[in-house]
């Protein structure tokens, strides 16, 4: 799902960075300015709410737009 979103957003002319977990997203936010984040609230471990709280606390993080979504992963 994240790659599909990256392709759709990138096709609109935006530069997209894709990471696989909240820790990697937080590291990215420290390394370079980011205008928006799409965070998955349904992942195990660090769900999307925790990185959102931490991003808001980083210098410049309060200006970034946050979108939280649920990936709807299901065990079969």
């Amino acid at each position: 799902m994240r790659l599909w979103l990256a392709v759709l957003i990138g096709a609109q002319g935006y530069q997209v960075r894709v990471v696989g977990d909240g820790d990697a997203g937080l590291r990215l936010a420290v390394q370079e300015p980011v205008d928006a984040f799409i965070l998955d609230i349904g992942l195990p471990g660090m769900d999307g709410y925790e990185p959102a709280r931490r991003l808001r606390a980083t210098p410049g993080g309060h200006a970034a737009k946050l979108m939280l979504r649920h990936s709807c992963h299901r065990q079969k």
Side-chain angles (χ1 to χ4, degrees):
M1 179 64 82
R2 68 179 166 226
L3 296 178
W4 179 78
L5 282 171
V7 168
L8 287 176
I9 294 168
Q12 298 299 311
Y14 295 99
Q15 185 177 19
V16 178
R17 300 277 192 269
V18 178
V19 296
D21 58 56
D23 285 324
L26 291 169
R27 285 191 302 274
L28 174 68
V30 170
Q31 294 171 0
E32 59 187 79
V34 177
D35 295 323
F37 294 89
I38 300 174
L39 304 166
D40 190 338
I41 62 172
L43 293 178
M46 186 188 307
D47 63 19
Y49 294 112
E50 183 59 25
R53 282 189 284 275
R54 292 185 192 182
L55 287 166
R56 288 289 186 223
T58 62
H62 62 281
K65 304 289 186 236
L66 299 175
M67 182 176 98
L68 299 172
R69 58 170 301 283
H70 195 287
S71 61
C72 300
H73 288 243
R74 294 184 185 197
Q75 296 288 338
K76 290 186 178 193

Coordinates of all heavy atoms in Angstrom, one line a residue:
M1 N 0.8 -1.2 0.0 CA 0.0 0.0 0.0 C 0.9 1.3 0.0 O 0.6 2.2 -0.7 CB -0.9 0.0 1.2 CG -1.8 1.2 1.3 SD -3.0 1.4 0.0 CE -4.3 0.3 0.5
R2 N 2.0 1.3 0.8 CA 2.8 2.5 0.9 C 3.4 2.8 -0.5 O 3.6 3.9 -0.8 CB 3.8 2.4 2.0 CG 4.9 1.4 1.8 CD 5.8 1.4 3.0 NE 6.6 0.2 2.9 CZ 6.9 -0.6 3.9 NH1 6.4 -0.3 5.1 NH2 7.6 -1.6 3.8
L3 N 3.8 1.7 -1.2 CA 4.5 2.0 -2.5 C 3.4 2.5 -3.5 O 3.8 3.4 -4.3 CB 5.1 0.7 -3.0 CG 6.3 0.2 -2.2 CD1 6.9 -1.1 -2.7 CD2 7.4 1.3 -2.1
W4 N 2.2 2.0 -3.4 CA 1.2 2.5 -4.3 C 0.9 4.0 -4.0 O 0.8 4.8 -5.0 CB -0.1 1.7 -4.1 CG -1.3 2.0 -4.9 CD1 -1.5 1.8 -6.2 CD2 -2.4 2.8 -4.4 NE1 -2.7 2.3 -6.6 CE2 -3.3 2.9 -5.5 CE3 -2.7 3.4 -3.2 CZ2 -4.5 3.6 -5.4 CZ3 -3.9 4.1 -3.1 CH2 -4.8 4.2 -4.2
L5 N 0.8 4.4 -2.8 CA 0.6 5.8 -2.4 C 1.8 6.6 -2.9 O 1.6 7.7 -3.4 CB 0.4 5.9 -0.9 CG -0.9 5.5 -0.3 CD1 -0.9 5.5 1.2 CD2 -2.0 6.5 -0.8
A6 N 3.0 6.1 -2.7 CA 4.2 6.8 -3.2 C 4.1 7.1 -4.7 O 4.5 8.2 -5.1 CB 5.4 6.1 -2.8
V7 N 3.7 6.1 -5.5 CA 3.6 6.3 -6.9 C 2.6 7.4 -7.2 O 2.8 8.2 -8.1 CB 3.3 5.0 -7.6 CG1 2.9 5.2 -9.1 CG2 4.5 4.0 -7.5
L8 N 1.4 7.3 -6.6 CA 0.3 8.2 -6.9 C 0.7 9.7 -6.5 O 0.5 10.6 -7.3 CB -0.9 7.8 -6.1 CG -1.7 6.6 -6.6 CD1 -2.9 6.3 -5.7 CD2 -2.2 6.9 -8.0
I9 N 1.3 9.8 -5.4 CA 1.8 11.1 -4.9 C 2.9 11.7 -5.8 O 2.9 12.8 -6.2 CB 2.1 11.1 -3.4 CG1 0.9 10.8 -2.6 CG2 2.8 12.4 -3.0 CD1 1.1 10.5 -1.1
G10 N 3.9 10.8 -6.1 CA 5.0 11.2 -6.9 C 4.6 11.6 -8.3 O 5.1 12.5 -8.9
A11 N 3.5 10.9 -8.8 CA 3.0 11.3 -10.1 C 2.4 12.7 -10.2 O 2.3 13.3 -11.3 CB 1.9 10.3 -10.6
Q12 N 2.1 13.2 -9.0 CA 1.6 14.6 -9.0 C 2.7 15.6 -8.9 O 2.5 16.8 -8.7 CB 0.7 14.8 -7.8 CG -0.6 13.9 -7.8 CD -1.4 14.2 -9.0 OE1 -1.7 15.4 -9.3 NE2 -1.8 13.2 -9.8
G13 N 4.0 15.2 -9.0 CA 5.1 16.1 -9.0 C 5.8 16.2 -7.6 O 6.7 17.0 -7.5
Y14 N 5.3 15.5 -6.6 CA 5.9 15.7 -5.3 C 7.1 14.7 -5.1 O 7.1 13.6 -5.7 CB 4.9 15.4 -4.2 CG 3.7 16.4 -4.2 CD1 2.5 16.1 -4.8 CD2 3.9 17.6 -3.6 CE1 1.5 17.0 -4.8 CE2 2.9 18.5 -3.5 CZ 1.7 18.2 -4.2 OH 0.6 19.1 -4.1
Q15 N 8.1 15.1 -4.3 CA 9.2 14.2 -4.0 C 8.7 13.4 -2.8 O 8.2 13.9 -1.8 CB 10.4 15.1 -3.6 CG 11.6 14.2 -3.3 CD 12.8 15.1 -3.0 OE1 12.7 16.2 -2.6 NE2 14.0 14.5 -3.1
V16 N 8.9 12.1 -3.0 CA 8.4 11.1 -2.0 C 9.5 10.3 -1.4 O 10.4 9.8 -2.1 CB 7.3 10.2 -2.6 CG1 6.8 9.1 -1.6 CG2 6.2 11.0 -3.3
R17 N 9.5 10.1 -0.1 CA 10.4 9.2 0.6 C 9.5 8.2 1.3 O 8.5 8.5 1.9 CB 11.2 9.9 1.7 CG 12.1 11.0 1.2 CD 13.4 10.5 0.6 NE 14.4 11.5 0.4 CZ 14.5 12.1 -0.8 NH1 13.7 11.8 -1.8 NH2 15.4 13.0 -1.0
V18 N 9.9 6.9 1.2 CA 9.2 5.8 1.8 C 10.0 5.1 2.8 O 11.2 4.8 2.5 CB 8.7 4.8 0.7 CG1 8.0 3.6 1.3 CG2 7.8 5.5 -0.4
V19 N 9.5 4.9 4.0 CA 10.2 4.2 5.0 C 9.3 3.2 5.6 O 8.0 3.3 5.4 CB 10.7 5.1 6.1 CG1 11.8 6.1 5.6 CG2 9.6 5.9 6.8
G20 N 9.8 2.1 6.2 CA 9.0 1.0 6.6 C 8.5 1.0 8.1 O 7.7 0.2 8.5
D21 N 9.0 2.0 8.9 CA 8.5 2.0 10.3 C 8.7 3.4 10.9 O 9.3 4.3 10.3 CB 9.3 1.0 11.1 CG 10.8 1.2 11.1 OD1 11.2 2.3 11.5 OD2 11.5 0.2 10.8
G22 N 8.1 3.6 12.1 CA 8.1 4.9 12.7 C 9.5 5.4 13.0 O 9.8 6.6 12.9
D23 N 10.4 4.5 13.5 CA 11.8 4.9 13.8 C 12.5 5.5 12.6 O 13.1 6.5 12.6 CB 12.6 3.8 14.3 CG 12.2 3.4 15.8 OD1 11.9 4.3 16.5 OD2 12.2 2.2 16.1
A24 N 12.3 4.8 11.4 CA 13.0 5.3 10.2 C 12.4 6.7 9.8 O 13.1 7.5 9.3 CB 12.8 4.3 9.1
G25 N 11.1 6.8 9.9 CA 10.4 8.1 9.6 C 10.9 9.2 10.5 O 11.2 10.3 10.0
L26 N 11.1 8.9 11.8 CA 11.7 9.9 12.7 C 13.1 10.3 12.3 O 13.5 11.5 12.4 CB 11.6 9.4 14.1 CG 10.2 9.3 14.7 CD1 10.2 8.5 16.0 CD2 9.5 10.7 14.9
R27 N 13.9 9.3 12.0 CA 15.3 9.6 11.5 C 15.3 10.5 10.3 O 16.0 11.4 10.2 CB 16.1 8.3 11.3 CG 16.5 7.6 12.6 CD 17.5 6.5 12.3 NE 17.0 5.5 11.4 CZ 16.2 4.4 11.7 NH1 15.9 4.2 13.0 NH2 15.9 3.6 10.8
L28 N 14.4 10.2 9.3 CA 14.3 11.0 8.1 C 13.9 12.4 8.5 O 14.5 13.4 7.9 CB 13.2 10.4 7.2 CG 12.9 11.2 5.9 CD1 14.1 11.2 5.0 CD2 11.7 10.6 5.2
A29 N 13.0 12.6 9.4 CA 12.5 14.0 9.7 C 13.6 14.8 10.3 O 13.7 16.0 10.2 CB 11.4 13.9 10.7
V30 N 14.6 14.2 11.0 CA 15.7 14.9 11.6 C 16.7 15.2 10.5 O 17.4 16.3 10.6 CB 16.4 14.0 12.7 CG1 17.7 14.6 13.2 CG2 15.4 13.8 13.9
Q31 N 16.9 14.4 9.5 CA 17.9 14.6 8.5 C 17.5 15.6 7.4 O 18.4 16.3 6.9 CB 18.2 13.2 7.8 CG 18.8 12.2 8.6 CD 18.9 10.8 8.0 OE1 18.4 10.7 6.8 NE2 19.4 9.9 8.7
E32 N 16.2 15.7 7.1 CA 15.8 16.6 6.0 C 14.4 17.1 6.3 O 13.6 16.4 6.9 CB 15.9 16.0 4.7 CG 15.0 14.7 4.5 CD 15.2 14.0 3.2 OE1 16.2 13.3 3.1 OE2 14.4 14.2 2.3
P33 N 14.1 18.3 5.9 CA 12.8 18.9 6.1 C 11.7 18.1 5.3 O 12.0 17.7 4.2 CB 12.8 20.3 5.7 CG 14.0 20.4 4.8 CD 15.0 19.3 5.2
V34 N 10.6 17.9 6.0 CA 9.5 17.1 5.3 C 8.2 17.9 5.5 O 8.0 18.5 6.6 CB 9.3 15.7 6.0 CG1 8.2 15.0 5.4 CG2 10.6 14.9 5.9
D35 N 7.5 18.0 4.4 CA 6.2 18.8 4.4 C 5.0 18.1 4.9 O 4.1 18.6 5.5 CB 5.9 19.4 3.0 CG 7.0 20.4 2.6 OD1 7.5 21.2 3.4 OD2 7.3 20.4 1.4
A36 N 5.0 16.7 4.7 CA 3.9 15.9 5.1 C 4.3 14.5 5.3 O 5.3 14.0 4.8 CB 2.8 15.9 3.9
F37 N 3.5 13.8 6.2 CA 3.8 12.4 6.6 C 2.4 11.7 6.4 O 1.4 12.2 6.8 CB 4.2 12.3 8.0 CG 5.6 12.9 8.3 CD1 5.7 14.2 8.7 CD2 6.7 12.1 8.2 CE1 7.0 14.7 8.9 CE2 7.9 12.6 8.4 CZ 8.1 13.9 8.8
I38 N 2.5 10.5 5.9 CA 1.3 9.6 6.0 C 1.8 8.4 6.9 O 2.7 7.7 6.6 CB 1.0 9.0 4.6 CG1 0.6 10.2 3.7 CG2 -0.2 8.0 4.7 CD1 0.4 9.8 2.2
L39 N 1.1 8.3 8.0 CA 1.4 7.4 9.1 C 0.3 6.3 9.2 O -0.8 6.6 9.2 CB 1.6 8.1 10.4 CG 2.6 9.2 10.4 CD1 2.4 10.1 11.6 CD2 4.0 8.7 10.3
D40 N 0.8 5.0 9.4 CA -0.2 3.9 9.5 C -0.4 3.7 11.0 O 0.5 3.4 11.8 CB 0.4 2.7 8.9 CG -0.6 1.5 8.8 OD1 -1.5 1.5 9.6 OD2 -0.3 0.6 8.0
I41 N -1.6 3.8 11.5 CA -2.0 3.7 12.9 C -2.1 2.2 13.3 O -2.2 1.9 14.5 CB -3.2 4.5 13.3 CG1 -4.4 4.0 12.5 CG2 -3.0 5.9 13.1 CD1 -5.7 4.6 13.0
G42 N -2.2 1.3 12.3 CA -2.5 -0.1 12.7 C -1.3 -1.0 12.7 O -1.5 -2.2 12.9
L43 N 0.0 -0.5 12.7 CA 1.1 -1.4 12.7 C 1.4 -1.8 14.1 O 1.2 -1.1 15.0 CB 2.3 -0.8 12.0 CG 2.2 -0.5 10.5 CD1 3.4 0.2 10.0 CD2 2.0 -1.8 9.8
P44 N 2.0 -3.0 14.3 CA 2.4 -3.5 15.6 C 3.7 -2.7 16.0 O 4.4 -2.1 15.2 CB 2.8 -4.9 15.4 CG 3.1 -5.1 14.0 CD 2.2 -4.1 13.3
G45 N 4.0 -2.7 17.3 CA 5.2 -2.0 17.8 C 4.8 -0.5 17.9 O 3.9 -0.1 18.6
M46 N 5.5 0.4 17.2 CA 5.2 1.8 17.2 C 4.2 2.1 16.2 O 4.4 2.2 15.0 CB 6.5 2.6 16.9 CG 6.3 4.1 17.1 SD 7.6 5.2 16.6 CE 9.0 4.5 17.4
D47 N 2.9 2.3 16.7 CA 1.8 2.6 15.7 C 2.0 4.1 15.3 O 2.9 4.8 15.7 CB 0.5 2.4 16.4 CG 0.2 3.3 17.6 OD1 0.9 4.3 17.7 OD2 -0.7 3.0 18.4
G48 N 1.2 4.5 14.4 CA 1.3 5.9 13.8 C 1.1 7.0 14.8 O 1.6 8.1 14.5
Y49 N 0.5 6.8 15.9 CA 0.3 7.9 16.8 C 1.6 8.3 17.5 O 1.8 9.5 17.7 CB -0.8 7.4 17.9 CG -2.1 7.2 17.3 CD1 -2.7 6.0 17.3 CD2 -2.9 8.3 16.9 CE1 -4.0 5.8 16.8 CE2 -4.2 8.1 16.3 CZ -4.7 6.8 16.3 OH -6.0 6.6 15.8
E50 N 2.4 7.3 17.9 CA 3.7 7.7 18.5 C 4.6 8.5 17.7 O 5.1 9.5 18.1 CB 4.4 6.4 19.0 CG 5.6 6.7 19.8 CD 5.4 7.5 21.1 OE1 4.3 7.6 21.6 OE2 6.4 8.2 21.5
P51 N 4.9 8.1 16.4 CA 5.7 9.0 15.6 C 5.1 10.4 15.4 O 5.8 11.4 15.3 CB 5.9 8.2 14.3 CG 5.3 6.9 14.4 CD 4.6 6.9 15.7
A52 N 3.7 10.4 15.3 CA 3.1 11.7 15.1 C 3.4 12.6 16.3 O 3.7 13.8 16.2 CB 1.6 11.5 15.0
R53 N 3.3 12.1 17.5 CA 3.6 12.8 18.7 C 5.1 13.3 18.7 O 5.4 14.5 19.0 CB 3.3 12.0 20.0 CG 1.9 11.9 20.4 CD 1.7 11.3 21.7 NE 1.9 9.8 21.7 CZ 1.0 9.0 21.4 NH1 -0.3 9.4 21.1 NH2 1.2 7.7 21.4
R54 N 6.0 12.4 18.4 CA 7.4 12.7 18.3 C 7.7 13.7 17.2 O 8.5 14.6 17.4 CB 8.2 11.5 18.2 CG 8.2 10.6 19.4 CD 9.1 9.4 19.2 NE 8.9 8.4 20.2 CZ 9.6 7.3 20.3 NH1 10.6 7.1 19.4 NH2 9.3 6.4 21.2
L55 N 7.1 13.6 16.1 CA 7.3 14.5 15.0 C 6.9 15.9 15.4 O 7.6 16.9 15.1 CB 6.6 14.1 13.7 CG 7.1 12.9 13.0 CD1 6.2 12.3 12.0 CD2 8.5 13.2 12.3
R56 N 5.8 16.0 16.0 CA 5.3 17.4 16.5 C 6.3 18.0 17.5 O 6.4 19.2 17.5 CB 3.9 17.2 17.1 CG 2.8 16.9 16.2 CD 2.5 18.2 15.3 NE 1.4 17.9 14.5 CZ 1.3 18.3 13.2 NH1 2.4 18.8 12.6 NH2 0.3 18.1 12.5
A57 N 7.0 17.2 18.2 CA 8.0 17.7 19.2 C 9.3 18.1 18.6 O 10.2 18.7 19.2 CB 8.2 16.7 20.3
T58 N 9.6 17.7 17.3 CA 10.9 18.0 16.7 C 10.9 19.4 16.1 O 9.9 19.9 15.8 CB 11.3 17.0 15.5 OG1 10.3 17.1 14.5 CG2 11.3 15.6 16.0
P59 N 12.1 20.0 16.1 CA 12.2 21.4 15.5 C 11.6 21.4 14.1 O 12.0 20.6 13.2 CB 13.7 21.7 15.5 CG 14.2 20.8 16.6 CD 13.4 19.6 16.6
G60 N 10.6 22.2 13.8 CA 10.0 22.3 12.5 C 8.9 21.2 12.3 O 8.2 21.3 11.3
G61 N 8.8 20.2 13.1 CA 7.8 19.2 13.0 C 6.4 19.6 13.1 O 5.5 19.0 12.6
H62 N 6.2 20.7 13.9 CA 4.9 21.2 14.1 C 4.3 21.8 12.8 O 3.1 21.9 12.7 CB 4.9 22.3 15.2 CG 5.7 23.5 14.9 ND1 7.1 23.4 15.0 CD2 5.4 24.7 14.4 CE1 7.5 24.6 14.6 NE2 6.5 25.4 14.2
A63 N 5.1 22.1 11.8 CA 4.6 22.7 10.6 C 4.2 21.6 9.6 O 3.5 21.9 8.6 CB 5.7 23.6 10.0
A64 N 4.7 20.4 9.7 CA 4.4 19.3 8.8 C 3.0 18.9 8.9 O 2.4 18.9 10.0 CB 5.3 18.1 9.0
K65 N 2.4 18.5 7.8 CA 1.0 18.0 7.7 C 1.1 16.5 8.1 O 2.0 15.8 7.5 CB 0.4 18.2 6.4 CG 0.4 19.6 5.9 CD -0.6 20.4 6.6 CE -0.7 21.8 6.1 NZ -0.4 22.9 7.0
L66 N 0.2 16.0 8.9 CA 0.1 14.6 9.2 C -1.2 14.0 8.8 O -2.2 14.6 8.9 CB 0.3 14.4 10.7 CG 1.5 14.9 11.4 CD1 1.5 14.7 12.9 CD2 2.8 14.2 10.9
M67 N -1.1 12.8 8.2 CA -2.3 12.1 7.8 C -2.1 10.7 8.4 O -1.1 10.0 8.1 CB -2.4 12.0 6.3 CG -3.7 11.2 5.9 SD -4.0 11.2 4.1 CE -3.3 9.6 3.8
L68 N -3.0 10.3 9.2 CA -3.0 9.0 9.8 C -4.0 8.1 9.1 O -5.1 8.5 8.8 CB -3.4 9.1 11.3 CG -2.4 9.9 12.2 CD1 -3.0 10.0 13.6 CD2 -1.1 9.2 12.2
R69 N -3.6 6.9 8.8 CA -4.5 6.0 8.1 C -4.3 4.6 8.7 O -3.3 4.3 9.4 CB -4.2 6.0 6.6 CG -2.8 5.6 6.3 CD -2.5 5.3 4.8 NE -3.3 4.3 4.2 CZ -3.1 3.0 4.4 NH1 -2.1 2.6 5.1 NH2 -3.9 2.1 3.8
H70 N -5.2 3.7 8.4 CA -5.1 2.3 8.9 C -4.9 1.4 7.7 O -5.7 1.6 6.7 CB -6.4 1.9 9.7 CG -6.2 0.7 10.4 ND1 -6.1 -0.6 9.8 CD2 -6.0 0.5 11.8 CE1 -5.9 -1.5 10.8 NE2 -5.9 -0.9 11.9
S71 N -4.0 0.5 7.7 CA -3.6 -0.3 6.6 C -4.6 -1.4 6.4 O -4.6 -2.1 5.3 CB -2.2 -0.8 6.7 OG -2.1 -1.6 7.9
C72 N -5.4 -1.8 7.3 CA -6.4 -2.9 7.2 C -5.7 -4.2 7.0 O -6.2 -5.0 6.2 CB -7.4 -2.6 6.1 SG -8.4 -1.1 6.4
H73 N -4.6 -4.4 7.6 CA -3.9 -5.7 7.5 C -4.7 -6.7 8.3 O -5.2 -6.5 9.4 CB -2.5 -5.7 8.2 CG -1.5 -4.9 7.4 ND1 -0.4 -5.5 6.9 CD2 -1.5 -3.6 7.0 CE1 0.3 -4.5 6.2 NE2 -0.4 -3.4 6.3
R74 N -4.9 -7.9 7.7 CA -5.7 -9.0 8.3 C -4.9 -10.2 8.3 O -4.3 -10.6 7.3 CB -7.0 -9.2 7.6 CG -7.9 -8.0 7.7 CD -9.2 -8.3 7.1 NE -10.0 -7.1 7.1 CZ -11.3 -7.1 6.9 NH1 -12.0 -8.2 6.7 NH2 -12.0 -5.9 6.9
Q75 N -5.0 -11.0 9.4 CA -4.4 -12.3 9.5 C -5.3 -13.3 8.9 O -6.5 -13.3 9.2 CB -4.1 -12.6 11.0 CG -3.1 -11.7 11.6 CD -1.6 -12.0 11.1 OE1 -1.4 -13.1 10.6 NE2 -0.8 -11.0 11.2
K76 N -4.8 -14.2 8.1 CA -5.7 -15.3 7.6 C -5.3 -16.6 8.2 O -4.3 -16.9 8.6 CB -5.5 -15.4 6.1 CG -6.0 -14.2 5.4 CD -6.0 -14.4 3.9 CE -6.6 -13.2 3.2 NZ -6.9 -13.3 1.8

